[in-house]
């Protein structure tokens, strides 16, 4: 372990929670984590959390024999050639969207999709392979080049952000995906302004982070739509002013209620669930000239849009990580938290040990938690 020079980093044997059968509990196995290649960094995972995207992929047969997990924070254990922007011992947050800072999209203010180091669902961004094998030597599918449900993992240097050591690991962990997606969507994609109206479909970590972003921008009305009545209380902490439960409104479509609560529709409409039905409803809830932002992942989905509505200036856009430019924005989010401007504590509803990781799936699926922190050493 340690420096990559002279003898170089060795293989590491450690514990990982492996998805063997889609939709079945993860299985603990000893795995072998290869040393970092060029432009890669091996990290010791401190903690990880469960995002709904992990759950969607956990159910997909493409992820049989995989290591899931992409919200995490860790300590750099060894550094590959060309990855010296971080050093052994640094606290870092891996992000599934790389940010090389040199290519056209990285230099553009309007695009966060690095094209020099491209994000992938499977494998390391530069070559699509995995650095983790099982005890029999078979390669385990790597999610997003992160695979954080392992005590050690390897990530690309373009995908990691060095973290202020003062930042508590459990508070920074969900910034690795869900919370940054919501904040970025409110600030970068929508650019919500004071006095505007916002509707958010789905009040998980992503949707509540949109609310937090809209609250901090001074939005006048922030309408939350969720089937789970428990989201009313937590939503209020993030500035939700009105709550719609689609189960409690009879035959009336949600968009009609949004139009009644706003001046003929919301200025900004966010879909944070991952269903084409709620994406359509989000679009219908936006006013003429309004913007709909799709953040939810629907693995099979396709949308049918009324093109006349487009003529009235309505726009619809999707976004990876809410347009967050990770090396620029994550340090800003962290500073806002340390300055007590941004609320992060309220997102962390549960804390468990690595051995209990399957409980995190039960909690998220039951709608009982926003983010569950899974500590590797507990
Ligand atoms: P979550 O499971 O914590 O929250 C989803 C919320 O939606 C829950 O509160 C649930 O009660 C509610 N809900 C479910 N079905 C509903 C319905 N039909 N009507 C109203 N409410 C409904 O999920 P999360 O971790 O916040 O993720 C939300 C979505 O965002 C997922 O699809 C996830 O894959 C996606 N995501 C996308 C990005 C990105 O880069 N675009 C990043 C992170 C997550
Ligand atoms: Zn995620």
């Amino acid at each position: 372990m340690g420096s990559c020079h002279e003898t170089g980093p060795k293989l590491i044997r450690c514990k990982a929670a492996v998805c063997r059968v889609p939709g079945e509990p993860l299985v603990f196995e000893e795995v072998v984590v290869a040393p970092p290649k060029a432009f890669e960094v091996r990290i010791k995972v401190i903690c990880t959390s469960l995002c709904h995207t992990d759950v969607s992929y956990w159910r997909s047969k493409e992820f049989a024999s995989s290591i899931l997990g992409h919200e995490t924070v860790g300590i750099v254990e060894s550094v590959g050639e060309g990855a010296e922007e971080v050093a052994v011992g640094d606290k870092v947050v891996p992000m599934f969207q790389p940010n090389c800072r040199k290519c056209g999209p990285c230099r553009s203010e309007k695009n966060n999709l690095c094209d020099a180091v491209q994000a992938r669902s499977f494998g390391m961004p530069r070559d699509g392979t995995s650095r983790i094998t099982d005890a029999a030597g078979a390669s385990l599918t790597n999610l997003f080049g992160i695979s954080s449900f392992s005590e050690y993992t390897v990530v690309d240097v373009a995908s990691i952000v060095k973290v202020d050591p003062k930042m508590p690991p459990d508070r920074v962990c969900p910034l690795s995906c869900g919370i940054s997606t919501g904040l970025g969507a409110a600030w970068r994609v929508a650019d919500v302004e004071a006095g505007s109206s916002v509707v958010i479909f789905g009040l998980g970590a992503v949707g509540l982070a949109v609310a937090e972003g809209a609250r901090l921008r001074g939005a006048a009305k922030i309408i939350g739509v969720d089937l789970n009545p428990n989201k009313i209380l937590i939503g209020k902490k993030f500035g939700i002013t009105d709550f719609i439960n689609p189960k409690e409104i009879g035959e009336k479509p949600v968009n009609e209620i949004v139009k009644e609560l706003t001046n003929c529709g919301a200025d900004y409409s966010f879909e944070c669930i991952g269903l084409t039905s709620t994406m359509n409803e989000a679009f219908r809830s936006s006013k003429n000239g309004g913007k709909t932002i799709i953040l939810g992942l629907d693995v099979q989905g396709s949308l049918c849009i009324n093109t006349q509505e487009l003529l009235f200036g309505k726009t619809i856009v999707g976004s990876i990580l809410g347009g967050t430019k990770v090396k620029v924005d994550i340090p800003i989010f962290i500073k806002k938290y340390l300055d007590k401007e941004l609320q992060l504590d309220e997102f962390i509803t549960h804390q468990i040990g690595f051995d209990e990781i399957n409980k995190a799936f039960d909690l998220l699926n039951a709608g009982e938690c926003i983010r569950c922190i899974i500590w590797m050493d507990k």
Side-chain angles (χ1 to χ4, degrees):
M1 286 193 220
S3 157
C4 66
H5 301 298
E6 293 150 13
T7 54
K10 309 266 189 305
L11 296 174
I12 289 181
R13 286 176 194 282
C14 67
K15 188 165 80 173
V18 182
C19 172
R20 284 291 178 191
V21 183
E24 295 281 320
L26 306 183
V27 183
F28 286 100
E29 295 182 22
E30 186 183 83
V31 296
V32 179
V33 183
K37 292 190 176 177
F39 304 109
E40 293 177 355
V41 171
R42 189 162 57 187
I43 64 169
K44 183 177 196 299
V45 175
I46 302 173
C47 59
T48 181
S49 47
L50 186 68
C51 167
H52 200 106
T53 305
D54 293 308
V55 177
S56 301
Y57 284 139
W58 167 66
R59 293 198 178 107
S60 149
K61 59 180 187 307
E62 291 173 317
F63 281 90
S65 294
S66 66
I67 300 187
L68 302 169
H70 62 284
E71 283 190 351
T72 184
V73 55
I75 300 289
V76 174
E77 176 274 338
S78 55
V79 175
E81 194 187 328
E84 292 84 3
E85 76 171 66
V86 291
V88 172
D90 283 349
K91 192 190 272 183
V92 292
V93 167
M95 308 291 303
F96 74 85
Q97 175 57 56
N99 181 195
C100 81
R101 287 178 291 191
K102 296 185 197 105
C103 70
C106 281
R107 279 188 281 114
S108 157
E109 267 304 297
K110 294 184 178 166
N111 193 342
N112 71 330
L113 304 180
C114 179
D115 64 12
V117 188
Q118 290 181 11
R120 299 175 190 254
S121 299
F122 303 92
M124 300 300 290
R126 288 177 209 252
D127 65 9
T129 60
S130 170
R131 301 284 166 270
I132 310 185
T133 47
D134 66 13
S139 181
L140 291 164
T141 301
N142 170 301
L143 173 67
F144 290 149
I146 297 183
S147 286
S148 58
F149 295 165
S150 170
E151 290 174 319
Y152 286 83
T153 192
V154 177
V155 289
D156 195 283
V157 71
S159 305
I160 54 175
V161 178
K162 205 170 147 172
V163 175
D164 185 328
K166 289 198 292 296
M167 191 65 189
D170 54 344
R171 279 11 186 193
V172 76
C173 184
L175 276 179
S176 195
C177 175
I179 298 176
S180 296
T181 299
L183 292 174
W187 290 342
R188 275 198 181 266
V189 186
D191 199 9
V192 170
E193 61 279 272
S196 55
S197 57
V198 171
V199 59
I200 304 165
F201 289 75
L203 301 177
V206 175
L208 291 171
V210 170
E212 176 68 357
R215 179 185 77 81
L216 288 170
R217 282 285 179 92
K221 202 168 253 310
I222 308 177
I223 304 165
V225 182
D226 205 295
L227 295 171
N228 181 347
N230 297 337
K231 300 295 170 102
I232 299 178
L233 207 58
I234 181 123
K236 281 187 181 157
K237 293 185 189 164
F238 292 103
I240 300 279
T241 55
D242 302 80
F243 185 80
I244 302 172
N245 186 337
K247 279 193 293 202
E248 291 170 2
I249 55 174
E251 294 297 299
K252 214 169 190 178
V254 172
N255 76 79
E256 276 185 28
I257 299 180
V258 174
K259 284 172 183 153
E260 285 165 16
L261 288 169
T262 55
N263 188 12
C264 298
D267 295 311
Y268 302 104
S269 184
F270 296 85
E271 202 279 351
C272 312
I273 300 168
L275 295 171
T276 48
S277 57
T278 45
M279 292 175 191
N280 271 313
E281 204 53 28
F283 184 66
R284 289 192 200 109
S285 301
S286 75
K287 71 187 327 178
N288 287 346
K291 191 166 189 172
T292 300
I293 296 111
I294 305 294
L295 299 172
L297 166 77
D298 184 343
V299 183
Q300 309 286 335
S302 62
L303 275 180
C304 183
I305 294 291
N306 177 333
T307 54
Q308 278 197 51
E309 293 193 57
L310 295 176
L311 297 187
F312 284 93
K314 291 174 71 164
T315 54
I316 180 162
V317 64
S319 166
I320 290 293
L321 266 183
T324 299
K325 289 173 99 69
V326 304
K327 303 234 185 202
V328 177
D329 293 340
I330 303 303
I332 296 172
F333 298 164
I334 289 173
K335 184 166 185 317
K336 283 186 188 292
Y337 171 76
L338 292 173
D339 290 347
K340 303 197 181 330
E341 192 186 326
L342 175 69
Q343 305 185 100
L344 292 181
D345 300 350
E346 292 71 10
F347 286 97
I348 317 300
T349 51
H350 297 76
Q351 310 241 7
I352 60 175
F354 192 28
D355 288 344
E356 304 171 280
I357 190 166
N358 288 303
K359 204 169 143 189
F361 285 72
D362 297 339
L363 288 166
L364 197 68
N365 286 330
E368 285 176 23
C369 90
I370 306 297
R371 278 299 184 260
C372 176
I373 303 295
I374 302 151
W375 294 93
M376 304 315 270
D377 284 342
K378 285 185 192 158

